[in-house]
Structure formats: C-alpha cells, structure tokens
Amino acid sequence: RERRKSPHFKHRCLWLSTIVHSPRFDMFIGVFMVGNGLMIGFQTSSRKEVEMYEKLEQFFTMLFVVEVCLRFAADGWTWFWDTGNFGDLLLIICTGVVPQWALGPMGVDTKIVSAFSVLRILRLIRLVRMVRTFPMFKVFWSLVQGVLDSVPMLIYTYMIITVALYIFAVFAVYLIGKATIFKDDELAQEYFGDVPKAMFTFFQVVTLDGW
C-alpha cells in the first residue's frame, strides 16, 4: 500500500487505473446498480416466473464480477484491505455468485436460493457509498452521514424507552394483571397478564398502534 502511494510508483496499466478511478466509471456502474434494484422490485412483484429476469440477473452478476476484477487489477491487493470494498465483494459473492453460479446449478432447494436472492437488494448499499464521490450528491450524502452519525444517539433513546416501558409494565401487572377485580377478565389478562404483554401493550400505545 505504501509503495503504491509513493510518487515514484508507476502503474503497469495506467490506462486501466485512469478508467477505473474516473467518475464516469462509477456513474456507469451506478446506473446498472439502480437498474438492478428496479429489476429486483419488478421480479418480486411478478407472480409468474419470467425467464427474462433470470437472464438479467445473470448479466448483472457478471457485470459486478467484472467490475471487481477491474478494480482489483487497478489497485491490486490493497483494494481488499478497505472495509467497504471487502463488504462490496461479499455482497456480490453472497447475493450473486453463490445463488446464481453455485446453488442453482447444483439443484439446491429453491427456498434456500430464494433466501439468498432476497439479499440482492442490499447491493443498493454500494450505490449509497458510491454517491459520496459525486459533488452533485453532496447534500444527499450529508443527509446520509447525518443519519449514520445519529445512530448512537438513537440507540440510547431506544434504551431509555425500553427502560420506561419496563417500569410502567411492572406497575401495570401489579395494579391490573394481578388485581383481584381483573383476575378473571380475559381482556386485562391478555394485555397486562405479565410483564412482556404489558410492555408490548404500552409499546402499542406509544406508537399509536391500535390495541
């Protein structure tokens, strides 16, 4: 990695490195990512097995494999040391190569293949990562970055809500679930019979769900 960062380093395929690291190449791949995402939506909505979708999936899988090979040829082994790049590789393998070129031809249970196929929509995560390299999507990436930065705060918020629901649930079970007057009340026992039921009831109240 340090050798490649050196100003004296000369790439064996400079033209390939120039193409792979150009915004146009990322835009080209991004367009096919969007197309793949739309195809997955149409295929999921379709109630019939359409052979065209299968051929398109083979095409997208081949395209993404070629993309990885080109990036590997341009950056060498250092490309895999980046966490995001390694995640992209796993997505392509687990959602494309394995179900399309391994499990399918081996005649594996279609339910298992379908489970892998559902994960294909995760490929759009790669598109979000790619968007940050384009100046035109600076505002969009700022929004994504803001959501990601707020995750720790959201976790603590959910922890506080869970603790609050637990406290009120304990009180509700003692005052309602175990109260003599509601002992034979099916509705009271359904909603406040024990702590988990009471917590779920209060969760429905907090989220304004019908209960």
Side-chain angles (χ1 to χ4, degrees):
R1 182 181 299 181
E2 295 299 328
R3 184 172 65 89
R4 287 178 172 271
K5 291 182 179 179
S6 173
H8 303 291
F9 175 75
K10 293 184 179 180
H11 200 285
R12 294 181 179 179
C13 299
L14 184 59
W15 61 273
L16 178 61
S17 178
T18 303
I19 293 175
V20 171
H21 293 112
S22 66
R24 291 184 178 180
F25 182 79
D26 289 335
M27 182 70 75
F28 176 79
I29 297 298
V31 169
F32 281 99
M33 287 182 184
V34 174
N36 187 211
L38 293 175
M39 187 214 70
I40 293 172
F42 287 124
Q43 184 180 13
T44 304
S45 300
S46 177
R47 297 187 177 183
K48 297 180 179 179
E49 292 292 334
V50 182
E51 186 178 357
M52 179 186 67
Y53 291 134
E54 184 66 24
K55 293 181 178 180
L56 283 175
E57 183 56 33
Q58 294 282 357
F59 167 75
F60 284 120
T61 300
M62 176 64 73
L63 177 68
F64 295 143
V65 169
V66 171
E67 177 209 353
V68 169
C69 293
L70 291 176
R71 294 189 185 278
F72 170 70
D75 296 335
W77 290 103
T78 58
W79 187 81
F80 294 105
W81 302 136
D82 183 85
T83 305
N85 295 338
F86 187 72
D88 290 345
L89 178 64
L90 289 180
L91 276 177
I92 295 171
I93 293 176
C94 295
T95 64
V97 176
V98 172
Q100 294 294 325
W101 299 347
L103 299 182
M106 290 172 60
V108 178
D109 188 1
T110 55
K111 292 183 178 179
I112 299 178
V113 177
S114 298
F116 277 93
S117 299
V118 171
L119 298 176
R120 291 177 301 169
I121 197 62
L122 295 178
R123 293 176 185 172
L124 293 178
I125 296 176
R126 301 181 61 221
L127 182 62
V128 175
R129 289 184 60 248
M130 193 176 294
V131 158
R132 65 181 177 179
T133 62
F134 296 99
M136 67 183 71
F137 295 115
K138 184 177 180 180
V139 176
F140 173 76
W141 177 247
S142 297
L143 177 61
V144 173
Q145 192 65 43
V147 173
L148 295 176
D149 292 340
S150 66
V151 169
M153 185 67 69
L154 289 174
I155 292 176
Y156 287 119
T157 302
Y158 293 143
M159 289 175 61
I160 293 175
I161 292 175
T162 301
V163 172
L165 291 177
Y166 178 78
I167 293 174
F168 281 103
V170 171
F171 276 105
V173 172
Y174 273 107
L175 298 177
I176 302 176
K178 292 187 176 182
T180 305
I181 188 174
F182 296 116
K183 187 176 181 180
D184 297 323
D185 191 315
E186 294 183 0
L187 196 60
Q189 296 304 316
E190 179 183 353
Y191 290 120
F192 302 102
D194 52 38
V195 173
K197 290 180 180 179
M199 286 185 68
F200 183 70
T201 299
F202 284 123
F203 176 77
Q204 289 182 304
V205 174
V206 170
T207 57
L208 302 180
D209 188 16
W211 58 283

Coordinates of all heavy atoms in Angstrom, one line a residue, residues 32-119:
F32 N -26.2 0.9 -13.5 CA -26.6 -0.5 -13.5 C -27.0 -1.0 -12.1 O -27.9 -1.9 -12.0 CB -25.4 -1.4 -14.0 CG -25.3 -1.4 -15.5 CD1 -24.3 -0.5 -16.1 CD2 -26.1 -2.2 -16.3 CE1 -24.2 -0.5 -17.5 CE2 -26.0 -2.2 -17.7 CZ -25.0 -1.3 -18.3
M33 N -26.5 -0.4 -11.1 CA -27.0 -0.7 -9.7 C -28.4 -0.3 -9.6 O -29.2 -1.1 -9.0 CB -26.1 0.0 -8.7 CG -24.7 -0.6 -8.5 SD -23.9 0.3 -7.2 CE -22.2 -0.5 -7.3
V34 N -28.8 0.9 -10.0 CA -30.2 1.3 -10.0 C -31.0 0.4 -10.8 O -32.1 0.0 -10.4 CB -30.3 2.8 -10.5 CG1 -31.7 3.2 -10.5 CG2 -29.5 3.7 -9.5
G35 N -30.6 0.1 -12.0 CA -31.3 -0.9 -12.9 C -31.5 -2.2 -12.2 O -32.6 -2.8 -12.3
N36 N -30.5 -2.7 -11.5 CA -30.6 -4.0 -10.8 C -31.6 -3.9 -9.7 O -32.4 -4.8 -9.5 CB -29.3 -4.4 -10.3 CG -29.2 -5.8 -9.7 OD1 -28.5 -6.1 -8.8 ND2 -30.1 -6.7 -10.2
G37 N -31.6 -2.8 -9.0 CA -32.6 -2.6 -7.9 C -34.0 -2.5 -8.4 O -34.9 -3.1 -7.8
L38 N -34.2 -1.8 -9.5 CA -35.6 -1.8 -10.1 C -36.0 -3.2 -10.6 O -37.2 -3.6 -10.5 CB -35.6 -0.8 -11.3 CG -35.4 0.7 -10.9 CD1 -35.3 1.5 -12.2 CD2 -36.5 1.2 -10.0
M39 N -35.1 -3.9 -11.2 CA -35.4 -5.3 -11.7 C -35.8 -6.2 -10.6 O -36.8 -7.0 -10.7 CB -34.2 -5.9 -12.4 CG -34.5 -7.2 -13.1 SD -33.1 -8.3 -13.1 CE -33.0 -8.8 -11.4
I40 N -35.1 -6.1 -9.4 CA -35.5 -6.9 -8.3 C -36.9 -6.6 -7.8 O -37.7 -7.4 -7.4 CB -34.5 -6.6 -7.1 CG1 -33.1 -7.2 -7.5 CG2 -34.9 -7.3 -5.8 CD1 -32.0 -6.8 -6.5
G41 N -37.3 -5.3 -7.8 CA -38.6 -4.9 -7.4 C -39.7 -5.4 -8.4 O -40.7 -6.0 -7.9
F42 N -39.4 -5.3 -9.7 CA -40.4 -5.9 -10.6 C -40.5 -7.4 -10.5 O -41.6 -8.0 -10.6 CB -40.0 -5.5 -12.1 CG -40.2 -4.1 -12.4 CD1 -39.2 -3.3 -12.9 CD2 -41.4 -3.5 -12.3 CE1 -39.4 -1.9 -13.2 CE2 -41.7 -2.2 -12.6 CZ -40.6 -1.4 -13.0
Q43 N -39.3 -8.1 -10.3 CA -39.3 -9.5 -10.2 C -40.1 -10.0 -8.9 O -40.8 -11.0 -9.0 CB -37.9 -10.0 -10.2 CG -37.8 -11.5 -10.2 CD -36.3 -12.0 -10.1 OE1 -35.4 -11.2 -9.9 NE2 -36.1 -13.3 -10.4
T44 N -39.9 -9.2 -7.9 CA -40.6 -9.6 -6.6 C -42.1 -9.4 -6.7 O -42.9 -10.2 -6.2 CB -40.1 -8.7 -5.5 OG1 -38.6 -8.8 -5.3 CG2 -40.7 -9.1 -4.1
S45 N -42.5 -8.4 -7.5 CA -43.9 -8.1 -7.6 C -44.6 -9.1 -8.6 O -45.8 -9.3 -8.5 CB -44.2 -6.7 -8.2 OG -43.6 -5.7 -7.2
S46 N -43.8 -9.6 -9.5 CA -44.3 -10.6 -10.5 C -44.7 -11.9 -9.9 O -44.0 -12.4 -9.1 CB -43.3 -10.8 -11.6 OG -43.8 -11.7 -12.6
R47 N -45.9 -12.4 -10.2 CA -46.3 -13.7 -9.7 C -46.0 -14.8 -10.6 O -46.3 -16.0 -10.3 CB -47.9 -13.6 -9.4 CG -48.3 -12.6 -8.4 CD -49.7 -12.7 -8.1 NE -50.1 -11.7 -7.0 CZ -51.4 -11.7 -6.5 NH1 -52.3 -12.5 -7.0 NH2 -51.6 -10.8 -5.6
K48 N -45.4 -14.5 -11.7 CA -45.0 -15.6 -12.7 C -43.5 -15.6 -12.8 O -42.8 -14.6 -12.6 CB -45.6 -15.3 -14.0 CG -47.2 -15.4 -14.0 CD -47.7 -15.1 -15.4 CE -49.2 -15.1 -15.4 NZ -49.7 -14.9 -16.8
E49 N -43.0 -16.8 -13.1 CA -41.6 -16.9 -13.3 C -41.2 -16.5 -14.7 O -41.7 -17.1 -15.7 CB -41.1 -18.4 -13.1 CG -41.2 -18.9 -11.6 CD -40.2 -18.2 -10.7 OE1 -39.2 -17.8 -11.3 OE2 -40.5 -18.1 -9.5
V50 N -40.5 -15.4 -14.8 CA -40.2 -14.8 -16.1 C -38.7 -15.1 -16.4 O -37.9 -14.7 -15.6 CB -40.5 -13.3 -16.2 CG1 -40.1 -12.8 -17.6 CG2 -41.9 -13.0 -15.8
E51 N -38.5 -15.8 -17.5 CA -37.1 -16.2 -17.9 C -36.2 -14.9 -18.1 O -35.0 -15.0 -17.8 CB -37.1 -17.0 -19.1 CG -35.7 -17.6 -19.5 CD -35.8 -18.5 -20.7 OE1 -36.9 -18.7 -21.3 OE2 -34.7 -18.9 -21.2
M52 N -36.8 -13.8 -18.5 CA -36.0 -12.6 -18.7 C -35.3 -12.1 -17.5 O -34.2 -11.7 -17.5 CB -36.9 -11.5 -19.3 CG -36.2 -10.2 -19.6 SD -37.3 -8.9 -20.0 CE -38.3 -8.6 -18.5
Y53 N -36.0 -12.2 -16.3 CA -35.4 -11.8 -15.1 C -34.2 -12.6 -14.7 O -33.2 -12.1 -14.2 CB -36.5 -11.9 -13.9 CG -37.6 -10.9 -14.1 CD1 -38.9 -11.3 -13.9 CD2 -37.3 -9.5 -14.3 CE1 -39.9 -10.3 -14.0 CE2 -38.3 -8.6 -14.4 CZ -39.7 -9.0 -14.3 OH -40.7 -8.1 -14.4
E54 N -34.3 -13.9 -15.0 CA -33.2 -14.8 -14.7 C -31.9 -14.4 -15.5 O -30.8 -14.4 -15.0 CB -33.6 -16.3 -15.0 CG -32.5 -17.3 -14.6 CD -32.2 -17.4 -13.1 OE1 -33.1 -17.0 -12.3 OE2 -31.1 -17.8 -12.8
K55 N -32.2 -14.1 -16.8 CA -31.1 -13.7 -17.7 C -30.5 -12.4 -17.3 O -29.3 -12.2 -17.3 CB -31.6 -13.7 -19.1 CG -32.0 -15.0 -19.7 CD -32.4 -14.9 -21.2 CE -32.7 -16.3 -21.7 NZ -33.2 -16.2 -23.2
L56 N -31.4 -11.5 -16.9 CA -30.9 -10.2 -16.4 C -30.1 -10.3 -15.2 O -29.0 -9.6 -15.0 CB -32.1 -9.2 -16.2 CG -32.7 -8.6 -17.4 CD1 -34.0 -7.8 -17.0 CD2 -31.8 -7.7 -18.2
E57 N -30.5 -11.2 -14.3 CA -29.7 -11.4 -13.0 C -28.3 -12.0 -13.3 O -27.3 -11.6 -12.7 CB -30.5 -12.3 -12.1 CG -29.8 -12.5 -10.7 CD -29.5 -11.2 -10.0 OE1 -30.3 -10.2 -10.1 OE2 -28.5 -11.1 -9.3
Q58 N -28.3 -12.9 -14.3 CA -27.0 -13.4 -14.7 C -26.1 -12.3 -15.3 O -24.9 -12.3 -15.0 CB -27.2 -14.5 -15.8 CG -27.9 -15.8 -15.3 CD -27.0 -16.7 -14.5 OE1 -25.8 -16.4 -14.4 NE2 -27.6 -17.7 -13.9
F59 N -26.7 -11.4 -16.1 CA -26.0 -10.3 -16.7 C -25.4 -9.4 -15.6 O -24.3 -9.0 -15.6 CB -26.9 -9.5 -17.6 CG -26.3 -8.2 -18.0 CD1 -25.3 -8.1 -19.0 CD2 -26.8 -7.0 -17.5 CE1 -24.8 -6.9 -19.4 CE2 -26.3 -5.8 -17.9 CZ -25.3 -5.7 -18.8
F60 N -26.3 -9.0 -14.6 CA -25.9 -8.1 -13.5 C -24.8 -8.7 -12.7 O -23.8 -8.1 -12.3 CB -27.0 -7.7 -12.7 CG -27.9 -6.7 -13.3 CD1 -29.3 -6.9 -13.5 CD2 -27.5 -5.4 -13.7 CE1 -30.1 -6.0 -14.1 CE2 -28.3 -4.5 -14.3 CZ -29.6 -4.8 -14.5
T61 N -24.9 -10.0 -12.4 CA -23.9 -10.7 -11.6 C -22.5 -10.7 -12.4 O -21.5 -10.4 -11.8 CB -24.3 -12.2 -11.3 OG1 -25.5 -12.2 -10.6 CG2 -23.2 -12.9 -10.5
M62 N -22.6 -11.0 -13.7 CA -21.4 -11.0 -14.5 C -20.8 -9.6 -14.5 O -19.5 -9.4 -14.4 CB -21.7 -11.4 -15.9 CG -20.5 -11.4 -16.8 SD -19.2 -12.5 -16.4 CE -19.9 -14.1 -16.8
L63 N -21.6 -8.6 -14.6 CA -21.1 -7.2 -14.7 C -20.4 -6.8 -13.4 O -19.3 -6.2 -13.5 CB -22.3 -6.2 -15.0 CG -22.0 -4.7 -15.0 CD1 -21.1 -4.4 -16.2 CD2 -23.2 -3.9 -15.0
F64 N -21.0 -7.1 -12.3 CA -20.4 -6.8 -11.0 C -19.1 -7.5 -10.7 O -18.2 -7.0 -10.1 CB -21.4 -7.0 -9.9 CG -22.6 -6.1 -10.0 CD1 -23.9 -6.5 -9.6 CD2 -22.5 -4.8 -10.4 CE1 -25.0 -5.7 -9.7 CE2 -23.6 -3.9 -10.5 CZ -24.8 -4.4 -10.2
V65 N -19.1 -8.8 -11.2 CA -17.8 -9.6 -11.0 C -16.7 -8.9 -11.9 O -15.6 -8.8 -11.4 CB -18.1 -11.0 -11.5 CG1 -16.7 -11.8 -11.6 CG2 -19.0 -11.7 -10.4
V66 N -17.1 -8.5 -13.1 CA -16.1 -7.9 -14.0 C -15.6 -6.6 -13.3 O -14.4 -6.2 -13.4 CB -16.7 -7.6 -15.4 CG1 -15.7 -6.7 -16.2 CG2 -16.9 -8.9 -16.1
E67 N -16.6 -5.8 -12.7 CA -16.2 -4.6 -12.0 C -15.2 -4.8 -10.9 O -14.2 -4.1 -10.8 CB -17.4 -4.0 -11.4 CG -17.2 -2.7 -10.6 CD -18.1 -2.5 -9.5 OE1 -19.1 -3.2 -9.4 OE2 -17.9 -1.5 -8.7
V68 N -15.4 -5.9 -10.1 CA -14.5 -6.2 -9.0 C -13.1 -6.6 -9.6 O -12.1 -6.2 -9.1 CB -15.0 -7.4 -8.2 CG1 -13.9 -7.9 -7.2 CG2 -16.2 -6.9 -7.4
C69 N -13.1 -7.3 -10.7 CA -11.8 -7.7 -11.3 C -11.1 -6.5 -11.9 O -9.8 -6.4 -11.7 CB -12.1 -8.7 -12.5 SG -12.7 -10.3 -12.0
L70 N -11.8 -5.6 -12.4 CA -11.1 -4.4 -12.9 C -10.6 -3.5 -11.8 O -9.4 -3.0 -11.9 CB -12.1 -3.5 -13.7 CG -12.6 -4.1 -15.1 CD1 -13.7 -3.2 -15.7 CD2 -11.4 -4.3 -16.0
R71 N -11.3 -3.4 -10.7 CA -10.8 -2.6 -9.6 C -9.6 -3.3 -8.9 O -8.7 -2.7 -8.5 CB -12.0 -2.4 -8.5 CG -13.1 -1.6 -9.1 CD -14.1 -1.2 -8.0 NE -15.2 -0.5 -8.5 CZ -15.3 0.8 -8.7 NH1 -14.2 1.5 -8.5 NH2 -16.4 1.4 -9.1
F72 N -9.7 -4.6 -8.9 CA -8.6 -5.4 -8.4 C -7.3 -5.2 -9.2 O -6.2 -5.0 -8.8 CB -8.9 -6.9 -8.2 CG -7.7 -7.8 -7.9 CD1 -7.2 -7.7 -6.7 CD2 -7.2 -8.6 -8.9 CE1 -6.1 -8.5 -6.4 CE2 -6.1 -9.4 -8.6 CZ -5.6 -9.4 -7.3
A73 N -7.5 -5.2 -10.6 CA -6.4 -5.1 -11.5 C -5.8 -3.7 -11.4 O -4.6 -3.5 -11.6 CB -6.9 -5.3 -12.9
A74 N -6.7 -2.7 -11.1 CA -6.2 -1.3 -11.0 C -5.5 -1.0 -9.6 O -4.5 -0.3 -9.6 CB -7.4 -0.3 -11.1
D75 N -6.0 -1.6 -8.5 CA -5.5 -1.3 -7.2 C -4.7 -2.4 -6.6 O -4.1 -2.2 -5.5 CB -6.6 -0.9 -6.3 CG -7.3 0.4 -6.7 OD1 -6.7 1.2 -7.4 OD2 -8.5 0.6 -6.4
G76 N -4.7 -3.6 -7.1 CA -4.0 -4.7 -6.6 C -4.7 -5.2 -5.3 O -5.8 -4.9 -5.0
W77 N -3.9 -5.9 -4.5 CA -4.4 -6.5 -3.2 C -4.8 -5.4 -2.2 O -5.6 -5.7 -1.4 CB -3.3 -7.3 -2.6 CG -3.0 -8.6 -3.3 CD1 -2.0 -8.9 -4.1 CD2 -3.9 -9.8 -3.4 NE1 -2.1 -10.1 -4.7 CE2 -3.2 -10.7 -4.2 CE3 -5.1 -10.1 -2.8 CZ2 -3.8 -12.0 -4.5 CZ3 -5.6 -11.4 -3.0 CH2 -5.0 -12.3 -3.9
T78 N -4.3 -4.2 -2.4 CA -4.7 -3.1 -1.4 C -6.2 -2.8 -1.5 O -6.8 -2.3 -0.6 CB -3.9 -1.8 -1.7 OG1 -4.2 -1.4 -3.1 CG2 -2.4 -2.1 -1.5
W79 N -6.8 -3.1 -2.6 CA -8.3 -2.8 -2.8 C -9.1 -3.6 -1.8 O -10.1 -3.1 -1.3 CB -8.7 -3.2 -4.2 CG -10.1 -2.8 -4.5 CD1 -10.6 -1.6 -4.8 CD2 -11.3 -3.6 -4.4 NE1 -11.9 -1.6 -5.0 CE2 -12.4 -2.8 -4.8 CE3 -11.5 -5.0 -4.1 CZ2 -13.7 -3.3 -4.8 CZ3 -12.8 -5.5 -4.2 CH2 -13.9 -4.7 -4.5
F80 N -8.6 -4.8 -1.4 CA -9.4 -5.7 -0.5 C -9.2 -5.3 1.0 O -10.0 -5.6 1.8 CB -9.0 -7.2 -0.6 CG -9.3 -7.8 -1.9 CD1 -8.3 -8.0 -2.9 CD2 -10.6 -8.1 -2.3 CE1 -8.6 -8.6 -4.1 CE2 -10.9 -8.7 -3.5 CZ -9.9 -8.9 -4.4
W81 N -8.2 -4.5 1.3 CA -8.0 -4.1 2.7 C -8.9 -3.0 3.1 O -9.1 -2.8 4.3 CB -6.5 -3.6 2.8 CG -5.5 -4.6 2.5 CD1 -4.3 -4.4 1.8 CD2 -5.5 -6.0 2.8 NE1 -3.6 -5.5 1.6 CE2 -4.3 -6.6 2.2 CE3 -6.3 -6.9 3.4 CZ2 -3.9 -7.9 2.3 CZ3 -6.0 -8.2 3.5 CH2 -4.8 -8.7 3.0
D82 N -9.6 -2.4 2.2 CA -10.6 -1.4 2.6 C -11.9 -2.1 3.0 O -12.4 -3.0 2.3 CB -10.9 -0.4 1.4 CG -11.9 0.6 1.8 OD1 -11.5 1.7 2.3 OD2 -13.1 0.4 1.5
T83 N -12.4 -1.7 4.2 CA -13.6 -2.4 4.7 C -14.8 -2.4 3.8 O -15.5 -3.3 3.5 CB -14.0 -1.9 6.1 OG1 -12.8 -1.9 6.9 CG2 -15.1 -2.6 6.7
G84 N -15.0 -1.2 3.2 CA -16.1 -1.0 2.3 C -16.0 -1.9 1.0 O -17.0 -2.5 0.6
N85 N -14.8 -1.9 0.5 CA -14.6 -2.7 -0.7 C -14.7 -4.2 -0.4 O -15.3 -5.0 -1.2 CB -13.2 -2.5 -1.3 CG -13.0 -1.1 -1.8 OD1 -13.9 -0.4 -2.1 ND2 -11.7 -0.6 -1.8
F86 N -14.3 -4.6 0.7 CA -14.4 -6.0 1.1 C -15.9 -6.4 1.3 O -16.4 -7.5 0.9 CB -13.6 -6.3 2.4 CG -13.6 -7.8 2.7 CD1 -12.8 -8.7 2.0 CD2 -14.3 -8.3 3.8 CE1 -12.8 -10.0 2.3 CE2 -14.3 -9.6 4.2 CZ -13.6 -10.5 3.4
G87 N -16.7 -5.4 1.9 CA -18.1 -5.6 2.0 C -18.8 -5.7 0.7 O -19.7 -6.6 0.5
D88 N -18.3 -4.9 -0.3 CA -18.9 -5.0 -1.7 C -18.6 -6.4 -2.3 O -19.5 -7.0 -2.9 CB -18.3 -3.9 -2.6 CG -18.7 -2.5 -2.2 OD1 -19.7 -2.4 -1.4 OD2 -18.1 -1.6 -2.6
L89 N -17.4 -6.9 -2.1 CA -17.1 -8.2 -2.6 C -18.0 -9.3 -2.0 O -18.5 -10.2 -2.7 CB -15.6 -8.5 -2.3 CG -15.1 -9.9 -2.7 CD1 -15.2 -10.0 -4.3 CD2 -13.7 -10.1 -2.3
L90 N -18.2 -9.2 -0.7 CA -19.0 -10.2 0.0 C -20.5 -10.1 -0.5 O -21.1 -11.2 -0.7 CB -19.0 -10.0 1.5 CG -17.7 -10.4 2.2 CD1 -17.9 -10.1 3.7 CD2 -17.4 -11.9 2.0
L91 N -21.0 -8.9 -0.8 CA -22.3 -8.8 -1.3 C -22.5 -9.4 -2.7 O -23.4 -10.1 -2.9 CB -22.7 -7.3 -1.4 CG -23.2 -6.6 -0.1 CD1 -23.4 -5.1 -0.4 CD2 -24.5 -7.2 0.3
I92 N -21.5 -9.2 -3.5 CA -21.5 -9.7 -4.9 C -21.4 -11.3 -4.8 O -22.2 -12.0 -5.5 CB -20.4 -9.2 -5.7 CG1 -20.6 -7.7 -5.9 CG2 -20.3 -9.9 -7.1 CD1 -19.4 -7.0 -6.6
I93 N -20.6 -11.8 -3.9 CA -20.5 -13.2 -3.8 C -21.7 -13.9 -3.3 O -22.2 -14.9 -3.8 CB -19.2 -13.6 -3.0 CG1 -17.9 -13.2 -3.7 CG2 -19.2 -15.1 -2.7 CD1 -16.7 -13.4 -2.9
C94 N -22.2 -13.3 -2.2 CA -23.3 -13.9 -1.4 C -24.7 -13.8 -2.1 O -25.6 -14.6 -2.0 CB -23.4 -13.4 0.0 SG -22.0 -13.8 1.0
T95 N -24.8 -12.6 -2.9 CA -26.1 -12.4 -3.5 C -26.1 -12.7 -5.0 O -27.2 -12.7 -5.6 CB -26.5 -10.9 -3.3 OG1 -25.6 -10.0 -4.0 CG2 -26.5 -10.5 -1.8
G96 N -25.0 -12.9 -5.6 CA -24.9 -13.2 -7.0 C -24.2 -14.5 -7.4 O -24.8 -15.4 -7.9
V97 N -23.0 -14.6 -7.0 CA -22.1 -15.7 -7.5 C -22.6 -17.0 -6.8 O -22.8 -18.0 -7.5 CB -20.7 -15.5 -7.1 CG1 -19.8 -16.7 -7.4 CG2 -20.1 -14.3 -7.8
V98 N -22.9 -17.0 -5.5 CA -23.3 -18.2 -4.8 C -24.6 -18.7 -5.3 O -24.8 -19.9 -5.7 CB -23.3 -18.0 -3.3 CG1 -23.9 -19.2 -2.6 CG2 -21.9 -17.8 -2.8
P99 N -25.7 -17.9 -5.3 CA -27.0 -18.5 -5.7 C -27.1 -18.7 -7.2 O -27.8 -19.7 -7.6 CB -28.0 -17.4 -5.3 CG -27.2 -16.1 -5.2 CD -25.8 -16.5 -4.8
Q100 N -26.5 -17.9 -8.0 CA -26.6 -18.0 -9.5 C -25.7 -19.0 -10.1 O -26.1 -19.8 -11.0 CB -26.3 -16.6 -10.1 CG -27.4 -15.6 -9.8 CD -28.7 -15.9 -10.4 OE1 -28.9 -16.4 -11.4 NE2 -29.8 -15.5 -9.6
W101 N -24.5 -19.1 -9.6 CA -23.5 -20.0 -10.3 C -23.1 -21.2 -9.4 O -22.3 -22.0 -9.9 CB -22.2 -19.1 -10.6 CG -22.5 -18.0 -11.5 CD1 -23.6 -17.8 -12.3 CD2 -21.6 -16.9 -11.8 NE1 -23.5 -16.7 -13.0 CE2 -22.3 -16.1 -12.7 CE3 -20.3 -16.5 -11.4 CZ2 -21.7 -14.9 -13.2 CZ3 -19.8 -15.4 -11.9 CH2 -20.5 -14.6 -12.8
A102 N -23.6 -21.3 -8.2 CA -23.2 -22.4 -7.4 C -24.5 -23.2 -6.9 O -24.7 -24.4 -7.3 CB -22.4 -22.0 -6.2
L103 N -25.4 -22.6 -6.1 CA -26.5 -23.3 -5.6 C -27.5 -23.7 -6.7 O -28.1 -24.8 -6.7 CB -27.2 -22.4 -4.6 CG -26.4 -22.0 -3.3 CD1 -27.2 -21.2 -2.4 CD2 -25.9 -23.3 -2.6
G104 N -27.8 -22.7 -7.7 CA -28.7 -23.0 -8.7 C -28.3 -24.2 -9.6 O -29.1 -25.2 -9.7
P105 N -27.1 -24.2 -10.2 CA -26.7 -25.4 -11.0 C -26.6 -26.7 -10.2 O -26.7 -27.8 -10.8 CB -25.3 -25.0 -11.5 CG -25.3 -23.5 -11.5 CD -26.2 -23.1 -10.3
M106 N -26.4 -26.6 -8.9 CA -26.2 -27.8 -8.0 C -27.6 -28.4 -7.7 O -27.7 -29.5 -7.1 CB -25.5 -27.5 -6.8 CG -24.0 -27.2 -7.0 SD -23.2 -26.6 -5.5 CE -23.5 -28.0 -4.3
G107 N -28.7 -27.7 -8.0 CA -30.0 -28.2 -7.7 C -30.4 -28.0 -6.3 O -31.2 -28.8 -5.8
V108 N -29.9 -27.0 -5.6 CA -30.2 -26.8 -4.2 C -31.6 -26.4 -4.1 O -32.2 -25.8 -5.0 CB -29.2 -25.8 -3.6 CG1 -29.6 -25.5 -2.1 CG2 -27.8 -26.3 -3.7
D109 N -32.2 -26.6 -2.9 CA -33.6 -26.3 -2.6 C -33.9 -24.8 -3.0 O -33.1 -23.9 -2.7 CB -33.9 -26.5 -1.1 CG -35.4 -26.3 -0.8 OD1 -36.2 -26.0 -1.8 OD2 -35.8 -26.4 0.4
T110 N -35.0 -24.6 -3.8 CA -35.3 -23.3 -4.2 C -35.5 -22.3 -3.1 O -35.3 -21.1 -3.3 CB -36.5 -23.3 -5.1 OG1 -37.6 -23.9 -4.4 CG2 -36.3 -24.1 -6.4
K111 N -36.0 -22.7 -1.9 CA -36.2 -21.8 -0.8 C -34.9 -21.2 -0.3 O -34.8 -20.1 0.0 CB -36.9 -22.6 0.3 CG -38.3 -23.0 0.0 CD -38.9 -23.7 1.2 CE -40.4 -24.1 0.9 NZ -41.0 -24.7 2.1
I112 N -33.8 -22.0 -0.4 CA -32.5 -21.5 0.1 C -32.0 -20.5 -1.0 O -31.5 -19.5 -0.6 CB -31.5 -22.7 0.2 CG1 -32.0 -23.7 1.3 CG2 -30.1 -22.2 0.5 CD1 -31.1 -24.9 1.5
V113 N -32.2 -20.8 -2.2 CA -31.8 -19.9 -3.3 C -32.5 -18.6 -3.2 O -32.0 -17.5 -3.4 CB -31.9 -20.5 -4.7 CG1 -31.6 -19.5 -5.8 CG2 -31.1 -21.8 -4.8
S114 N -33.8 -18.7 -2.9 CA -34.7 -17.5 -2.8 C -34.2 -16.6 -1.6 O -34.3 -15.4 -1.7 CB -36.1 -17.9 -2.6 OG -36.6 -18.6 -3.7
A115 N -33.8 -17.3 -0.5 CA -33.3 -16.5 0.7 C -32.1 -15.7 0.3 O -32.0 -14.6 0.7 CB -33.0 -17.5 1.8
F116 N -31.2 -16.3 -0.5 CA -30.0 -15.5 -1.0 C -30.4 -14.4 -2.0 O -29.9 -13.3 -2.0 CB -29.0 -16.5 -1.7 CG -28.1 -17.2 -0.7 CD1 -28.4 -18.5 -0.3 CD2 -26.9 -16.6 -0.3 CE1 -27.6 -19.1 0.6 CE2 -26.1 -17.3 0.6 CZ -26.4 -18.5 1.0
S117 N -31.5 -14.7 -2.8 CA -31.9 -13.8 -3.8 C -32.5 -12.5 -3.1 O -32.3 -11.4 -3.7 CB -32.9 -14.4 -4.7 OG -32.4 -15.5 -5.4
V118 N -33.2 -12.7 -2.0 CA -33.8 -11.5 -1.3 C -32.7 -10.5 -0.9 O -32.9 -9.3 -0.9 CB -34.6 -12.0 -0.1 CG1 -35.0 -10.8 0.8 CG2 -35.8 -12.8 -0.5
L119 N -31.5 -11.1 -0.6 CA -30.4 -10.2 -0.1 C -29.8 -9.3 -1.3 O -29.0 -8.5 -1.0 CB -29.3 -11.1 0.5 CG -29.6 -11.9 1.7 CD1 -28.4 -12.8 2.1 CD2 -30.0 -11.0 2.9

